[in-house]
Amino acid sequence: MSDYAVFGHPIAHSLSPRIHALFGLQSGIPLNYAAIDAPPGALAASLAKFAADGGRGANITLPLKQDAFALSAELSDFARRAGAVNTLSWRDDGSWRGDNTDGTGLTRDLTERHQLDLRERRSLLLGAGGAARAAAHALLDAGIGELVIVNRSPERADALMDSIGNPARVRTRYWADLANCGNFSLVVNATSAGIAREKLALPFNIVAPRALCYDLSYGTAAFGFLAWARAARAGRALDGLGMLIEQAAESFQIWHGVRPQTDPVYAELRSELPLLASD
Ligand code: NDP
């Protein structure tokens, strides 16, 4: 029985149990954090059993964030805007509150750990799933310039654009038209192609001189995108390990009221997951 857990599918290789264990040790908060496999359609039943067994907090990962949104009785403002939930907290009335810490995790990693200025960057977002939704809102909140969203299934990119409701700053394009979209000073890969070992077809001319390319994936799943970014002569090419640790710290704070220090955890995990491209 665990008080906390991450739910996803697949989930066996998740780093979240290890990150939360390190945060618990650092903060002197004993906790029991598991990884639970929940195939699409099974999240509601899995969460109900988890809560009945004493579960008090859950992280939600691929591909279940929009399901978790639908299961939340109460939502944070950011989760409502993103339409996706990655952090659930059990309430005294027997229901879940949904938060989304992915957006803050991304911008904290970029602006605080890597000291990057996002303002006015013409930006390309690849993907329109749960993580992309959070990334889009967080990047716009952080002051990027125009945001172009491209997704394999174009109707999901259009749905994300419509839900943001800011036609002056946000537009969509077809993947096949990417070579004709001009260049970008920020390119964010929020697809799960790397996890599926699938290659993204990306032209080099979308990368502006000194551009920042960021893959939300980490480890070997990010290697293909980071190799492409380096070949396209991006100024920086970063993976999503820092975002993973920052979003976990935000969840930890929601549940335990303490924000752990993330740099020691980043250093420990980074030494095991070398970055392929420039950091
Ligand atoms: P979802 O399943 O919700 O969305 C997946 C997205 O990837 C969709 O836009 C999908 O397109 C697209 N996609 C999948 N395969 C391909 C492909 N072969 N070519 C092009 N597009 C593809 O996943 P999430 O949004 O939850 O996660 C996306 C990625 O972000 C994952 O790699 C995940 O690990 C990472 N992530 C990292 C975090 C971190 O803290 N570092 C936090 C959250 C996520 P379509 O709509 O057409 O299916």
Side-chain angles (χ1 to χ4, degrees):
M1 198 281 289
S2 293
D3 302 333
Y4 299 90
V6 57
F7 291 75
H9 183 73
I11 200 64
H13 300 296
S14 171
L15 290 173
S16 292
R18 178 136 170 241
I19 293 170
H20 280 269
L22 289 169
F23 288 162
L25 277 176
Q26 185 198 98
S27 316
I29 297 173
L31 58 90
N32 196 343
Y33 187 112
I36 297 176
D37 194 290
L43 182 62
S46 285
L47 280 172
K49 180 174 185 324
F50 175 65
D53 289 346
R56 289 297 166 262
N59 284 131
I60 306 296
T61 188
L62 173 139
L64 304 170
K65 291 179 186 178
Q66 282 155 287
D67 294 0
F69 175 87
L71 291 168
S72 300
E74 183 191 349
L75 291 162
S76 68
D77 174 58
F78 189 86
R80 182 177 295 104
R81 284 199 288 146
V85 159
N86 80 332
T87 305
L88 289 168
S89 309
W90 187 247
R91 305 191 308 175
D92 291 342
D93 69 358
S95 65
W96 293 107
R97 173 189 158 86
D99 284 273
N100 188 315
T101 65
D102 283 337
T104 308
L106 173 63
T107 51
R108 280 187 90 117
D109 187 44
L110 287 169
T111 61
E112 295 182 24
R113 171 163 297 105
H114 297 293
Q115 300 282 304
L116 293 159
D117 188 350
L118 301 178
R119 287 171 298 173
E120 304 302 333
R121 285 180 188 255
R122 182 167 190 258
S123 302
L124 173 65
L125 177 64
L126 303 168
R133 298 182 78 87
H137 284 277
L139 293 171
L140 289 164
D141 290 351
I144 59 164
E146 181 190 15
L147 178 64
V148 175
I149 305 169
V150 170
N151 192 48
R152 178 177 63 180
S153 312
E155 63 281 3
R156 287 184 85 193
D158 289 340
L160 174 53
M161 175 183 68
D162 291 346
S163 72
I164 295 170
N166 189 344
R169 281 175 82 194
V170 184
R171 61 204 67 203
T172 59
R173 297 293 293 264
Y174 291 115
W175 203 293
D177 289 342
L178 263 175
N180 306 313
C181 289
N183 65 19
F184 299 89
S185 50
L186 174 61
V187 179
V188 175
N189 179 23
T191 75
S192 55
I195 289 181
R197 300 282 179 266
E198 288 162 355
K199 195 172 176 330
L200 295 174
L202 295 170
F204 290 138
N205 69 343
I206 60 174
V207 177
R210 293 181 300 283
L212 163 63
C213 293
Y214 192 96
D215 194 331
L216 268 56
S217 305
Y218 41 85
T220 53
F223 279 12
F225 178 80
L226 296 181
W228 165 82
R230 193 165 53 174
R233 301 191 177 280
R236 302 287 296 274
L238 300 169
D239 73 2
L241 179 65
M243 171 182 172
L244 179 76
I245 293 166
E246 295 303 326
Q247 63 78 28
E250 295 291 316
S251 298
F252 193 91
Q253 181 166 24
I254 288 169
W255 294 329
H256 307 294
V258 176
R259 193 170 205 289
Q261 289 181 17
T262 52
D263 285 348
V265 177
Y266 181 78
E268 181 170 335
L269 294 182
R270 174 55 75 207
S271 69
E272 298 168 20
L273 284 178
L275 195 55
L276 181 72
S278 62
D279 186 359

